[in-house]
Amino acid sequence: MSPMTMSMQPEMTTIWQLYRIYLVAETTTKVTSIVSLTQNRRKSADLEDEEDEEAENKKKKKKKKKKKKKKKTKEKNVQAVLGWPSGITTDGGHISILDTMRHCLGCLQDPPLSSVVISKSTDFEVHRNWLAVTHSLPVKRWYLEDTSQWTLDYPPFFAYFEWLLSCAAQLVDPDMLKISNLNYSSWRTVYFQRASVIASELMLLYALEKYVRASPKPVKRSAHAAALSVLLSPGLLIIDHVHFQYNGFLYGILVLSLVLTRKPSTLLYGGLLFALLLCLKHIYLYLAPAYFVFLFRAYCMRRRSIFGIRFANTLKLGLGVLAIAAAAFGPFVYWGQIEQVLRRLFPFSRGLCHAYWAPNFWALYSFADRALLQVAPRLHLPVNQAAVASASRGLVGDTSFAVLPEISPRMTFALTILAQLPSLVKVFYQPSWETFVGAVTTCGYASFLFGWHVHEKAILLVIIPFSLLALRDRRYLGAFRPLAVAGHVSLFPLLFTAPEFPIKTLYTAFWLVLFLVAFDRLAPVSNRPRVFLLDRISMLYTAIAVPLMVYCSLLHQLAFGSKFAFLPLMLTSTYAALGVMASWFGFIVVHLIY
């Protein structure tokens, strides 16, 4: 290699290296720019995607918010309609079963909506106070406690029943069991007491099932209809489930007692069960004469001779009744409180008529007194000026009459016994089950029509036992129709608010149409002539009930406002009293004469 060539080689090497460096740098620059451009494009694409996603998410969030608002609105509407507390969750407006159970048992902590108004009567506070008395005090102080005006005035066995309920009530709302909490009505308390009525009415369902099974096969279908009419009675709906009482439970015991007296083998148990019923509610003393005569004749005496006594049966029945009475009243006799208990059970200081005239003979008597008062100056009749301004005060004090003579408790007692006597004589000489139920019905009629300070709710003492005989034949059904109409219409004043008007009217009308039509088809024709005169005009009597109730419940207030406040009650009571009196007359004719 020449020296020149050798001298040029390092320079070319250097140039080549520089050129390679330049190529690498240029390539790197281009690659970097391409990479950065690609990254920028990706970033811009990602940003566009993110913006699109954000827009979609915003749309979704708006839709979700709208759905939530609709759902909350729907839940509020459902809760407002049902009276449900705000803490209960719903799914599309449908309340879950678990929350429903919790709500009914009173286990949730959230209070109900303040806008929900729960209907309740004076009797609701009465029974709440009895829960508090029996739970908070020893037994010996139950009939002495008078913090509330609604003192305990039922027999001891019902007080024990209230004590049992109070044990469960303590788990729901302990505040309802404080005696000082007068007029306490939390939603847990209301729901608990309503639920206790429903649960206790299972006794009626059991008794009616026993009644149907014990009925002979030829009348099994009629027994089913009668049992359903009692179970679905508007009287029990109005008195127990809206107004508030435990009549379904008590009448269940009465029906079961009647069923047990149907067979000789269970006759003793029927009598003892009725003795227990008397220690639950003393109003059933009205029916006691029929039980006494029937049990004495059918269980304590020989059938073929009225002079033959079955001493063993008499001893068993007597000792059984005494044991039940001793269990109920014995402790109070021991504590020297029996007089106090009897004063609570039989408050004769109250007036002849209740605050609302029960539809009986004394309602017609009071109406006649009011009518005579208007014409007394023209007829020159003496007027008791002290009684002119007297309405039926009912709760405390004597009812005064302006023109007609005053009525004493002894007079009402004598009239009641006199009205019961014919049926008692018949059941003594004809001790059959049908005659016995007829005597029970007659005793119910007599005590309701002529008794002292009778409540309108006592009409069930007539309706329920009569229901077991109404399908015996068409003659009995003819006497039952006006009783069914008048008896249930007479209970309407217990529900006097506007929201309750469609409940009482529509349900009662549905019951009357359904069961009176069914009874008319099931009741056999009697071989004996029909002598009940009101049967010819019963349709007219029933038709009058509709405009009368519309006027008393709606039109009167629109026409007169607060004036003549007693007029709707007087019209309702007088109308119903005419129906009950006519029904009683028809039943007496059918049962005793023909």
Side-chain angles (χ1 to χ4, degrees):
M1 181 177 296
S2 63
M4 185 177 180
T5 303
M6 292 179 63
S7 63
M8 291 177 64
Q9 188 174 359
E11 293 180 3
M12 292 182 67
T13 303
T14 302
I15 293 171
W16 174 247
Q17 289 177 347
L18 291 174
Y19 179 70
R20 288 180 65 184
I21 292 171
Y22 168 75
L23 289 177
V24 171
E26 186 70 17
T27 303
T28 303
T29 303
K30 289 182 178 181
V31 171
T32 303
S33 63
I34 292 171
V35 170
S36 62
L37 181 62
T38 303
Q39 290 178 347
N40 290 335
R41 288 178 178 176
R42 287 180 178 176
K43 287 181 180 180
S44 61
D46 292 339
L47 290 173
E48 290 178 359
D49 292 339
E50 289 178 0
E51 290 177 357
D52 293 338
E53 288 180 1
E54 288 180 1
E56 289 180 2
N57 290 333
K58 287 180 180 180
K59 290 180 180 180
K60 290 180 179 179
K61 288 180 180 179
K62 288 181 179 180
K63 289 182 179 180
K64 287 182 179 180
K65 287 181 180 180
K66 289 181 179 179
K67 288 181 179 179
K68 287 181 179 180
K69 288 181 179 179
K70 289 181 179 180
K71 187 176 180 180
K72 288 181 179 179
T73 304
K74 195 171 183 181
E75 290 177 1
K76 289 179 180 179
N77 292 336
V78 172
Q79 292 166 353
V81 171
L82 298 179
W84 234 253
S86 58
I88 292 183
T89 59
T90 63
D91 183 11
H94 301 286
I95 295 181
S96 66
I97 296 175
L98 180 60
D99 285 333
T100 302
M101 293 174 63
R102 288 175 177 171
H103 176 61
C104 294
L105 293 174
C107 297
L108 295 177
Q109 298 300 321
D110 294 334
L113 295 174
S114 60
S115 61
V116 176
V117 179
I118 302 174
S119 175
K120 55 186 181 299
S121 67
T122 302
D123 281 336
F124 174 86
E125 170 60 18
V126 170
H127 288 276
R128 186 216 60 81
N129 183 60
W130 292 358
L131 287 174
V133 169
T134 56
H135 182 82
S136 304
L137 300 177
V139 178
K140 65 187 306 180
R141 293 182 57 192
W142 285 358
Y143 289 92
L144 301 175
E145 167 60 36
D146 59 356
T147 301
S148 170
Q149 62 175 323
W150 312 118
T151 55
L152 181 61
D153 58 3
Y154 273 28
F157 278 179
F158 195 88
Y160 298 144
F161 171 72
E162 292 279 4
W163 175 80
L164 289 174
L165 292 178
S166 71
C167 295
Q170 187 179 18
L171 304 176
V172 177
D173 187 356
D175 289 338
M176 80 171 82
L177 302 177
K178 296 179 181 179
I179 298 177
S180 59
N181 279 354
L182 301 181
N183 299 313
Y184 182 77
S185 58
S186 70
W187 67 273
R188 295 183 185 88
T189 302
V190 174
Y191 288 170
F192 172 78
Q193 293 197 239
R194 296 292 186 191
S196 67
V197 172
I198 297 173
S200 65
E201 205 163 83
L202 293 175
M203 171 59 74
L204 179 62
L205 181 64
Y206 173 77
L208 292 173
E209 188 267 342
K210 288 290 186 181
Y211 163 71
V212 173
R213 287 192 176 186
S215 300
K217 288 185 179 180
V219 296
K220 187 79 72 175
R221 190 176 181 185
S222 299
H224 272 286
L228 283 175
S229 71
V230 173
L231 184 65
L232 303 177
S233 169
L236 293 178
L237 174 71
I238 292 173
I239 298 174
D240 285 7
H241 299 284
V242 182
H243 184 72
F244 192 84
Q245 279 193 358
Y246 292 92
N247 288 285
F249 165 66
L250 298 170
Y251 279 104
I253 297 176
L254 175 64
V255 173
L256 184 58
S257 173
L258 292 173
V259 172
L260 291 175
T261 59
R262 197 163 197 167
K263 295 181 179 180
S265 59
T266 57
L267 192 57
L268 174 63
Y269 303 120
L272 296 180
L273 189 60
F274 181 74
L276 184 144
L277 179 62
L278 293 179
C279 296
L280 281 166
K281 192 170 184 178
H282 52 300
I283 193 174
Y284 295 99
L285 278 171
Y286 292 145
L287 311 180
Y291 270 87
F292 175 80
V293 173
F294 178 70
L295 289 172
F296 182 74
R297 181 65 182 89
Y299 186 74
C300 299
M301 299 179 66
R302 301 185 186 279
R303 292 189 177 183
R304 296 182 180 180
S305 174
I306 61 173
F307 300 103
I309 303 295
R310 298 178 179 178
F311 291 101
N313 287 1
T314 305
L315 186 63
K316 285 189 290 186
L317 180 62
L319 290 178
V321 172
L322 287 176
I324 293 173
F329 295 96
F332 301 96
V333 174
Y334 177 77
W335 294 322
Q337 298 179 6
I338 190 62
E339 291 185 5
Q340 171 67 13
V341 174
L342 294 178
R343 279 197 296 269
R344 289 279 184 91
L345 298 183
F346 304 101
F348 284 107
S349 60
R350 297 179 180 180
L352 171 65
C353 298
H354 196 245
Y356 157 60
W357 298 347
N360 57 10
F361 177 79
W362 305 120
L364 299 178
Y365 190 86
S366 301
F367 179 79
D369 183 74
R370 302 281 174 170
L372 288 174
L373 180 62
Q374 305 303 317
V375 298
R378 297 179 183 178
L379 300 178
H380 304 287
L381 297 175
V383 176
N384 180 6
Q385 295 298 331
V388 171
S390 171
S392 176
R393 288 169 286 179
L395 291 179
V396 179
D398 297 328
T399 302
S400 299
F401 297 101
V403 180
L404 295 176
E406 297 292 344
I407 304 298
S408 66
R410 292 183 179 180
M411 295 172 64
T412 62
F413 180 78
L415 285 174
T416 301
I417 295 298
L418 186 64
Q420 292 178 348
L421 193 58
S423 64
L424 299 179
V425 172
K426 182 174 182 178
V427 77
F428 183 82
Y429 286 101
Q430 300 177 16
S432 65
W433 187 79
E434 289 77 11
T435 307
F436 167 58
V437 177
V440 170
T441 304
T442 305
C443 288
Y445 266 121
S447 58
F448 182 81
L449 290 174
F450 305 108
W452 179 269
H453 194 75
V454 176
H455 289 244
E456 66 281 355
K457 297 181 281 290
I459 191 62
L460 294 181
L461 283 172
V462 186
I463 294 177
I464 289 181
F466 197 173
S467 299
L468 307 182
L469 293 176
L471 292 173
R472 191 173 181 182
D473 60 48
R474 289 187 176 274
R475 297 177 305 126
Y476 282 87
L477 181 59
F480 180 76
R481 285 195 194 97
L483 174 67
V485 176
H488 291 116
V489 168
S490 70
L491 299 174
F492 281 9
L494 292 174
L495 309 182
F496 50 85
T497 63
E500 293 169 336
F501 177 75
I503 297 175
K504 64 185 182 183
T505 53
L506 293 179
Y507 185 80
T508 303
F510 169 77
W511 186 92
L512 289 172
V513 172
L514 175 64
F515 286 103
L516 291 185
V517 171
F519 282 12
D520 189 65
R521 294 181 179 181
L522 291 172
V525 178
S526 175
N527 296 327
R528 298 179 180 180
R530 301 169 72 179
V531 295
F532 186 39
L533 298 179
L534 189 63
D535 185 56
R536 304 293 189 270
I537 58 174
S538 60
M539 292 300 295
L540 177 62
Y541 179 82
T542 304
I544 295 174
V546 177
L548 178 67
M549 289 304 100
V550 172
Y551 170 77
C552 293
S553 300
L554 300 175
L555 299 182
H556 177 81
Q557 189 174 4
L558 295 176
F560 299 103
S562 59
K563 296 180 179 179
F564 312 111
F566 195 70
L567 181 60
L569 294 177
M570 184 174 66
L571 291 176
T572 301
S573 180
T574 305
Y575 165 81
L578 290 172
V580 176
M581 288 290 294
S583 173
W584 171 67
F585 174 76
F587 181 79
I588 290 298
V589 170
V590 172
H591 182 67
L592 296 180
I593 301 177
Y594 290 92

